[in-house]
Amino acid sequence: MITFVLVVVFGASLPVLYHLFLRPARADKQVFEAAAYGLPPRELLDPERPGPPPPPHRTKERQAVADAAWAGHWQSAARYVRAAGEDWDERWSRLEVLRHVAAEDDAWLDAWRAAEPGDCDAATLHASLMVHRAWKIRGRGYAHEVSTSAMNQFVSLLPAAIEEARRAALLDPANPGPWVVMITAARGAKYDHARFRPLWDGLVARAPYHYEGHWQALQYWCAKWFGSDREMMRFGREAVRKAPPGSPLAGIYLHALSELGDRPGLLPPVTPMTRSRLKRIAATLDTVEPDDERLPYLRHLLAHAMLRSMLYGPALKQFRLIGVWCGAQVWRENGNAVLGFEAARRKAAQLSRTRPLPPPPPTHGMGR
């Protein structure tokens, strides 16, 4: 009887003993050889940035414009903006550079506006600076986190900024810049849908694919402002549908997904339509100029969304394009971008059915 009990107990313990001592090591405990999948090794990952720094010539040009402006030569700033012509995305990007310059010292901007009161760019820049100064008072927190005095001051400053942008729009009716400013200010000024839609119509009539304008409108349609999750996602899907080749506009949908991801449990279900849309976004981003400074961050968002949608092969391609830059917020969920990024690209590689390259053969002896 005792022998029988021992046999039963020993037999029942065999699976436990096997799992503890004899089972082969799990894949997630094995060393991940990133290079075997065309990825840079972990020790080269850079968590300080989501992408490479701007090209040296671009940085040099921006610094020269800033130095000239601070020295009182507003003409350099005016030429810098006008050189973008009717590339409205680039023109807005240059206005954003100048807004940062003016945030440090705006005496040159006052001089520009005094010398050229009919210049739309100068007036738009001033209106944009007013909006961002108001937003700085408010801060980035949710409404319940903002003090009553700060919120009141924030709201009181926005009507004047919107009025300044309206006057700027009259100076150059074709320029979409003032409309971007108005859309940005509209949610802080508590515009309802009836007041917001004419602003949106005004923007897209002038620049139907304006990236910053779409991003600001997406914020308006968020549930935390004056829209809903459904309206926000519909807006994001529309951006994918109409994005032309060469434009990063389709990435607006990725920002919408990221907005939902900030609130656990709200991400839409993964469907064949979702996967098809993500592949379409990837194809569109491949047509964007490689040095577009918006592109690296969008690739991070795309890789993250593809992993969730079990598009492991396409996600692996994005990680290869991202390279060593892992400083995007999406990988910092646990506070360490390198760990989050490494775990994500490892998952993409190992579940993509991509066969790793064999290790190089060992060398024997010494060459001459």
Side-chain angles (χ1 to χ4, degrees):
M1 182 66 176
I2 295 176
T3 302
F4 176 76
V5 172
L6 288 174
V7 169
V8 172
V9 172
F10 183 75
S13 66
L14 279 177
V16 177
L17 293 171
Y18 171 78
H19 279 275
L20 287 175
F21 302 107
L22 300 178
R23 187 178 63 170
R26 289 176 56 187
D28 60 4
K29 297 298 183 182
Q30 295 173 355
V31 175
F32 174 52
E33 296 292 346
Y37 294 94
L39 301 168
R42 176 173 174 170
E43 56 269 21
L44 294 183
L45 297 181
D46 187 336
E48 300 302 319
R49 301 178 56 90
H57 73 275
R58 192 176 297 168
T59 301
K60 184 177 180 180
E61 179 184 36
R62 291 171 178 172
Q63 189 61 54
V65 169
D67 291 341
W70 290 329
H73 304 301
W74 57 265
Q75 295 87 345
S76 295
R79 286 193 298 268
Y80 177 63
V81 177
R82 292 166 188 163
E86 294 186 1
D87 182 342
W88 299 120
D89 271 352
E90 176 62 21
R91 196 162 181 133
W92 180 262
S93 175
R94 295 183 179 212
L95 278 176
E96 286 280 86
V97 170
L98 294 180
R99 180 177 59 77
H100 287 288
V101 175
E104 297 290 327
D105 178 0
D106 64 351
W108 61 273
L109 177 56
D110 291 339
W112 182 8
R113 293 172 58 225
E116 297 187 342
D119 188 272
C120 177
D121 292 319
T124 300
L125 179 57
H126 182 241
S128 179
L129 187 62
M130 293 171 69
V131 172
H132 282 270
R133 282 174 172 167
W135 225 281
K136 187 175 182 180
I137 293 170
R138 181 197 183 279
R140 299 174 59 88
Y142 288 97
H144 69 274
E145 300 171 338
V146 182
S147 69
T148 302
S149 61
M151 184 63 79
N152 289 341
Q153 190 176 0
F154 165 67
V155 173
S156 69
L157 290 173
L158 291 175
I162 293 174
E163 185 58 33
E164 178 74 3
R166 290 190 188 279
R167 286 195 292 266
L170 297 176
L171 299 175
D172 183 0
N175 193 327
W179 299 88
V180 178
V181 176
M182 288 186 272
I183 286 172
T184 303
R187 66 182 187 273
K190 301 181 180 181
Y191 274 31
D192 60 20
H193 296 181
R195 297 179 72 192
F196 178 80
R197 285 197 173 95
L199 301 182
W200 175 247
D201 292 341
L203 171 67
V204 296
R206 293 160 175 80
Y209 313 121
H210 200 289
Y211 183 87
E212 179 66 17
H214 278 76
W215 191 89
Q216 294 293 344
L218 181 77
Q219 297 304 305
Y220 177 88
W221 290 115
C222 287
K224 65 186 179 185
W225 286 101
F226 298 100
S228 66
D229 294 334
R230 178 177 294 182
E231 289 169 312
M232 178 184 70
M233 294 310 301
R234 182 168 61 239
F235 185 84
R237 291 192 297 269
E238 176 64 15
V240 177
R241 188 194 65 78
K242 71 179 186 180
S247 168
L249 184 64
I252 294 296
Y253 177 79
L254 301 174
H255 284 292
L257 287 179
S258 180
E259 181 70 28
L260 287 185
D262 289 340
R263 293 172 290 155
L266 290 178
L267 283 169
V270 176
T271 65
M273 186 71 73
T274 302
R275 295 189 180 97
S276 175
R277 190 175 295 114
L278 292 176
K279 291 178 181 178
R280 181 173 177 175
I281 293 172
T284 301
L285 293 186
D286 284 344
T287 69
V288 177
E289 289 294 330
D291 66 347
D292 190 308
E293 293 176 49
R294 298 163 293 190
L295 185 58
Y297 191 76
L298 291 178
R299 291 203 183 280
H300 286 284
L301 294 181
L302 179 57
H304 188 268
M306 283 178 159
L307 278 182
R308 182 181 177 274
S309 299
M310 295 178 285
L311 291 171
Y312 301 116
L316 178 59
K317 178 183 176 181
Q318 295 303 314
F319 283 117
R320 287 171 176 159
L321 291 168
I322 290 168
V324 301
W325 314 100
C326 67
Q329 184 62 35
V330 71
W331 311 120
R332 298 183 185 273
E333 293 177 5
N334 296 320
N336 188 315
V338 172
L339 290 180
F341 184 76
E342 180 74 351
R345 66 182 193 154
R346 174 179 181 159
K347 181 178 181 180
Q350 294 181 339
L351 297 181
S352 67
R353 299 183 181 178
T354 300
R355 297 185 64 180
L357 299 173
T363 57
H364 300 284
M366 297 178 62
R368 290 194 302 170

